[in-house]
Every structure is written in C-alpha cells, then in structure tokens.
C-alpha cells in the first residue's frame, strides 16, 4: 500500500504533483477505492478519459487497473476534454466516470475528477474515497477494459445544437490543451473564419500556461485580434472546461460578464429563469440578471458545487469568474468551454452585434481580476476563517465561501483556493480610490492573520 498524502483529496477533485504527491501506485489504489464506491452504489461500468499531460497515460492505466481489480468495467475513451468525459456519462451505458487531468495547473501536476452516475462527487464523498484508499480493505474481482471513441457523437451533438451563420472571423488559442483535438474541426465545420494559436496538445504547455483567466496568458490572443481586426478571440484552458473571451477591441470579457451576455439571451426566451454566479462574480452580473427579468443566485466556487446547486435550483445557466460556464439550457448541466463558445457565436450570429455591444447598458465599475496570494496548504482555510470572523465585527459579510465583504459602493472577497496552495482575492468599486481603500481593509486583515499563523 502506498503512503497517500491526505492533502491531495480536495473539495471537488484529487490533485497533486507527480512524483511527490501522486504516482501510478497511488492512482491504482485510488482506482480501487473509486471502484469500491461505485459498486456501493450498484454500479458496474465507468468511462475514463485523460488529458495530454506527460504523466496522464501511465496514470490512466494505473487507475483502470485499480478499478478493474474491484470488478468494475472501464470504457476508456482516450484523449478527450473533460466535457467529453462528462458527455460520455449521458451517451454511454455507464454508472460513472473518471477524468485524469489537473485542468489548468502546471504540467507537473495531475489529478482525478470523478463522477458517480451523472453527478460529479465532491466534499464528503471525495473524503470517503480517500478513507477507503487509506484503509486498504478491498474486495477483489475482475473487471473488463475496452476502448471506445465518442468523438463523432460529441461533434454531431454540438453541430445540431447551435445555429451559427458562417463567416465569423475569430482567433482561437488552444494553449496546447485538449480543445485542440476537437475545436478546429467543429468551428471550421460551422463556417467560422479561424486564426488558430497553439492547436497541438502538449502536456508541457511550451507556449504559455493554459489558464485563460490570467491576463498575461491572453496577450498573444489580444494581439492577434487587434492586428487582424477580428470580431473576437477565444482562449481555452488545459482540459477544456474553462473559457476566456476577448472582444473586437482586444479587451478581455471576464467570466462574469460573459455569463451576463449568455444569461440575457436565455432570459429573453425564458423569463424568470434562474442564473447562478459564484462569489467571485461582479454585482453587475447579479443586478444585470435581475434587470433582464431573471432570478440571480450567488453560490460557492467549484464545478461540482455549482453543478449540484444548478440541479437543486433548476437553473438554466451558471458561471464562475474563472471561466467555467455551465448550461442546463439545451445542454446537460456541466461546464464545456467549446459549447460555451458556440453559444456566444450563436448570439453574435443572431443579433449581428459586436461582443462589446452585447454588454450595452451594463453599469461601469472598476474591478480587479482574480488575485492569487501564495498560502501554505495546511493553513489557508484557517487564515480565511480568521479574516472572516474579524471582518464580521464591522461589515456585512457573505460567508458561503470565504468572506465576501459588502460596502455601499463596492465589495471585496478573500477565499481559499480548492486547487492550489493559495488564497483568491477580488475587489470591485465605483472609483479607483475606493477600490484601493477596500483592498487596504481586506488585505490588511489578511496580512495580520497570515502573520499570526
């Protein structure tokens, strides 16, 4: 039995550095634990996909060995985006699925996203799998492994789900991630006029980090849109579940404003529909949804948490500042960056508007992107708890996920990242001076808490 680091079991997935936190033995043991968990729910077969990281092929084989050794069959769908793995849950006869990926983390990381039935597991269920893995108490059996290609079914579904006029001129930056295996074919078939960057999947991510929420990672996409006078640019993360958008002027459309564009279109067809945004999203999203005739809901960050909330609320759309966009409207309720890009292109096609014009009427505000502050894994949640309790004495604080501190003319947020040893901050205000004041208040408390711990 390998010695398993408990810190790899996070809120909504499993992640660690290959060779330090995870290896083939760890993945095989987790496969046994996951297989046991699936059998406890009466499951017999699961799908499995992997991203292009150098370690993913070996770790996927180990995961499959572990699952098979419990008597659960594995349908290996090979190199896919995470949304394609989710697609398999709805289009193959399976009782769950696993994706070998570390999403937008650097190349030395790898991990596992897990589903039982059609639902991503998180929180206590992931901890339960960790407990099963550490116990080593497995009832062994023999399961089968087979290969299956879902590419055609996925492409056909996307093509039949949207209506886009040919000729839209856009740049796409795949960041050497997994959307490069599918995006060019779909977008070309839909008649888009493409300028493509970094199409070839490469798990070392040689050109830039595959995180489209970081401004420096969008630099070349912005330059391409401006130099070629294109209508927009779209960037994708490593495993294809997060999107970044640049408008015709080369300005970044952050995740919350993209959700507002999509929400307005959905609400126009289905008034009173529910739209969810995570705690990092601007007040302009929540206010904009209400003004458009929808019902806005603020919720915790994390793909598993958002999907669960969507299901319980019956929401049509949800999104995070980090570029995850989840559609239940005409889709399956999970985050798919390629599908989100198609829905945006469909809106442009139907309205004839430029991307910047799709945000007409939205009040202006000054906001920061996500700010990440390094913080050791073992204290990051305690730091946030201390800051939250301190700020509650003086301000209105929403504490569903960290501390979102409301002021009459702005807000600030501090929360612990569930994927990295870091804290995530974001601020918004009506003026630069007020933004600085709000930042000073919250960052001052944060600094003091980190000093004490």
């Amino acid at each position: 039995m390998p010695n398993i680091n408990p810190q790899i079991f996070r809120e909504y997935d499993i992640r660690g550095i290959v060779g330090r936190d995870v290896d083939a033995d760890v993945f095989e043991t987790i496969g046994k634990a996951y297989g046991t968990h699936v059998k406890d729910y009466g499951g017999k077969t699961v799908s499995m996909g992997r991203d292009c990281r150098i370690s993913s092929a070996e770790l996927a084989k180990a995961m499959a060995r572990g699952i098979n050794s419990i008597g659960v069959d594995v349908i290996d769908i090979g190199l896919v985006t995470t949304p394609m793995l989710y697609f398999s849950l709805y289009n193959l006869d399976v009782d769950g699925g696993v994706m070998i990926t570390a999403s937008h983390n650097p190349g030395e990381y790898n991990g596992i996203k897990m589903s039982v039935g059609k639902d991503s597991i998180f929180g206590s269920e992931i901890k339960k799998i960790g407990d099963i893995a550490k116990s080593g108490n497995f009832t062994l059996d023999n399961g089968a492994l087979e290969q299956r290609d879902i590419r055609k079914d996925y492409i056909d579904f996307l093509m039949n789900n949207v209506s886009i006029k040919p000729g839209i001129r856009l740049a796409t930056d795949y960041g050497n991630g997994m959307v490069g295996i599918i995006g060019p074919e779909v977008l070309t078939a839909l008649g888009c006029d493409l300028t493509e960057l970094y199409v070839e999947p490469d798990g070392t991510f040689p050109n830039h980090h595959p995180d489209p929420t970081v401004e420096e990672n969008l630099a070349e996409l912005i330059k391409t849109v401006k130099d070629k006078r294109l209508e927009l640019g779209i960037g994708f993360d490593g495993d294809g579940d997060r999107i970044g958008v640049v408008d015709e002027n080369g300005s970044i459309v952050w995740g919350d404003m993209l959700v507002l564009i999509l929400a307005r279109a959905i609400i126009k067809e289905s008034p009173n529909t529910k739209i969810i945004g995570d705690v990092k999203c601007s007040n302009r999203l929540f206010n904009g949804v209400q003004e458009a005739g929808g019902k806005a809901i603020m919720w915790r960050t994390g793909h598993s948490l958002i999907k669960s909330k969507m299901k319980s609320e019956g929401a049509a759309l949800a999104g995070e500042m980090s570029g995850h966009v989840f559609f239940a409207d005409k889709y399956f309720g999970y985050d798919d960056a390629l599908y989100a890009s198609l829905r945006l292109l469909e809106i442009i096609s139907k309205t004839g508007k430029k991307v910047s014009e799709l945000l007409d009427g939205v009040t202006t505000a000054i906001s920061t992107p996500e700010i990440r502050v390094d913080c050791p894994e073992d204290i990051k949640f305690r730091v946030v708890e201390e800051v939250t309790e301190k700020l509650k004495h003086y301000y209105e604080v929403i504490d569903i996920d960290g501390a979102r501190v409301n002021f009459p003319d702005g807000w600030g947020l501090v929360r612990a990242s569930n994927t990295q040893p870091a804290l995530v901050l974001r601020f918004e205000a009506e003026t630069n001076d007020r933004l600085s004041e709000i930042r000073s208040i919250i960052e001052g408390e944060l600094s003091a808490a980190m000093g004490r711990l």
Side-chain angles (χ1 to χ4, degrees), residues 196-217:
E196 295 177 319
L197 303 173
Y198 310 130
V199 178
E200 191 68 29
D202 183 337
T204 66
F205 307 116
N207 293 291
H208 64 75
H209 191 55
D211 183 347
T213 66
V214 177
E215 195 164 348
E216 66 188 58
N217 298 332

Side-chain angles (χ1 to χ4, degrees), residues 14 93-94 115 122 161 185 201 207 260 272 274-275 298 302 304 310 339 351 358 432:
I14 295 169
D93 185 15
V94 294
S115 300
F122 61 94
N161 194 272
E185 182 175 344
N207 293 291
L260 181 55
N272 300 315
K274 294 178 180 178
I275 309 292
M298 185 184 294
S304 302
M310 282 185 81
Y339 181 67
T351 63
L358 295 172
N432 277 312

Side-chain angles (χ1 to χ4, degrees), residues 187-259:
L187 292 165
T188 300
L190 287 166
C192 296
D193 183 350
L194 296 176
T195 299
E196 295 177 319
L197 303 173
Y198 310 130
V199 178
E200 191 68 29
D202 183 337
T204 66
F205 307 116
N207 293 291
H208 64 75
H209 191 55
D211 183 347
T213 66
V214 177
E215 195 164 348
E216 66 188 58
N217 298 332
L218 294 173
E220 192 161 356
L221 185 65
I222 291 169
K223 184 177 186 302
T224 302
V225 169
K226 292 169 76 172
D227 287 352
K228 297 203 168 191
R229 298 184 179 179
L230 303 178
E231 295 176 61
L232 73 160
I234 298 175
F236 301 96
D237 82 331
D239 69 331
D241 57 10
R242 301 167 74 214
I243 182 174
V245 174
V246 174
D247 73 12
E248 74 281 1
N249 302 312
S251 299
I252 298 170
V253 180
W254 296 111
D256 47 6
M257 293 299 96
L258 173 61
V259 172

Side-chain angles (χ1 to χ4, degrees), residues 320-372:
E320 297 182 301
M321 179 65 187
S322 59
H324 289 279
V325 183
F326 310 76
F327 285 90
D329 179 70
K330 304 176 187 176
Y331 209 56
F332 302 105
Y334 59 77
D335 41 341
D336 183 336
L338 180 56
Y339 181 67
S341 70
L342 299 184
R343 290 291 291 262
L344 175 61
L345 294 173
E346 184 176 54
I347 292 169
I348 293 168
S349 180
K350 284 182 176 179
T351 63
K353 291 184 176 181
K354 298 175 180 178
V355 175
S356 64
E357 293 171 344
L358 295 172
L359 289 168
D360 282 349
V362 178
T363 57
T364 58
I366 298 163
S367 58
T368 67
E370 292 183 36
I371 300 165
R372 291 187 177 266

Side-chain angles (χ1 to χ4, degrees), residues 56-276:
S56 289
E58 178 191 6
L59 295 178
K61 288 178 183 177
M63 187 81 186
R65 281 197 306 271
I67 296 170
N68 282 163
S69 73
I70 301 298
V72 175
D73 296 338
V74 174
I75 299 175
D76 182 1
I77 60 173
L79 276 167
V80 293
T81 65
T82 293
M84 290 172 73
L85 185 279
Y86 295 148
F87 181 83
S88 75
L89 304 181
Y90 292 85
N91 293 275
L92 296 177
D93 185 15
V94 294
D95 307 300
V98 290
M99 180 69 186
I100 310 304
T101 183
S103 187
H104 61 281
N105 281 113
E108 64 267 25
Y109 281 79
N110 219 322
I112 313 163
K113 293 180 179 179
M114 299 172 287
S115 300
V116 172
K118 293 177 173 61
D119 297 326
S120 295
I121 63 176
F122 61 94
S124 60
E125 275 196 277
I126 287 182
K127 289 176 183 174
K128 182 179 179 182
I129 286 174
D131 291 340
I132 296 170
K134 284 175 272 187
S135 76
N137 296 323
F138 305 116
T139 302
L140 301 181
D141 202 343
N142 292 303
L145 174 66
E146 68 169 296
Q147 314 291 322
R148 192 83 62 86
D149 188 352
I150 65 163
R151 181 188 182 92
K152 183 179 184 303
D153 289 342
Y154 177 68
I155 291 174
D156 287 347
F157 186 90
L158 294 182
M159 297 287 293
N160 293 327
N161 194 272
V162 295
S163 177
I164 298 171
K165 292 179 182 176
I168 297 177
R169 300 176 64 244
L170 73 150
T172 49
D173 184 349
Y174 302 101
N176 300 112
M178 291 310 301
V179 180
I181 69 167
I182 201 91
E185 182 175 344
V186 172
L187 292 165
T188 300
L190 287 166
C192 296
D193 183 350
L194 296 176
T195 299
E196 295 177 319
L197 303 173
Y198 310 130
V199 178
E200 191 68 29
D202 183 337
T204 66
F205 307 116
N207 293 291
H208 64 75
H209 191 55
D211 183 347
T213 66
V214 177
E215 195 164 348
E216 66 188 58
N217 298 332
L218 294 173
E220 192 161 356
L221 185 65
I222 291 169
K223 184 177 186 302
T224 302
V225 169
K226 292 169 76 172
D227 287 352
K228 297 203 168 191
R229 298 184 179 179
L230 303 178
E231 295 176 61
L232 73 160
I234 298 175
F236 301 96
D237 82 331
D239 69 331
D241 57 10
R242 301 167 74 214
I243 182 174
V245 174
V246 174
D247 73 12
E248 74 281 1
N249 302 312
S251 299
I252 298 170
V253 180
W254 296 111
D256 47 6
M257 293 299 96
L258 173 61
V259 172
L260 181 55
I261 290 171
L262 298 165
R264 283 173 157 181
I266 291 172
I267 294 166
K268 190 173 183 179
E269 294 184 5
S270 303
N272 300 315
T273 193
K274 294 178 180 178
I275 309 292
I276 297 172

Side-chain angles (χ1 to χ4, degrees), residues 395-432:
Y395 308 102
E396 177 194 349
V397 177
I398 299 171
D399 61 359
I400 56 172
D401 185 2
R404 179 170 170 134
V405 188
N406 287 331
F407 301 87
D409 52 357
W411 57 274
L413 172 75
V414 56
R415 61 177 291 277
S417 168
N418 283 314
T419 60
Q420 294 175 318
L423 304 176
V424 178
L425 287 71
R426 193 177 183 224
F427 305 94
E428 185 173 271
E430 294 177 4
T431 67
N432 277 312

Side-chain angles (χ1 to χ4, degrees), residues 375-390 414-416 423 445-446 449-450 452-453:
C375 185
E377 197 76 40
D378 57 341
I379 68 166
K380 65 183 183 183
F381 289 103
R382 282 191 292 148
V383 167
V384 173
E385 286 173 10
E386 282 208 12
V387 172
T388 302
E389 290 308 309
K390 187 76 171 177
V414 56
R415 61 177 291 277
L423 304 176
E445 292 296 345
L446 176 61
M450 290 182 73
R452 289 191 295 271
L453 294 171

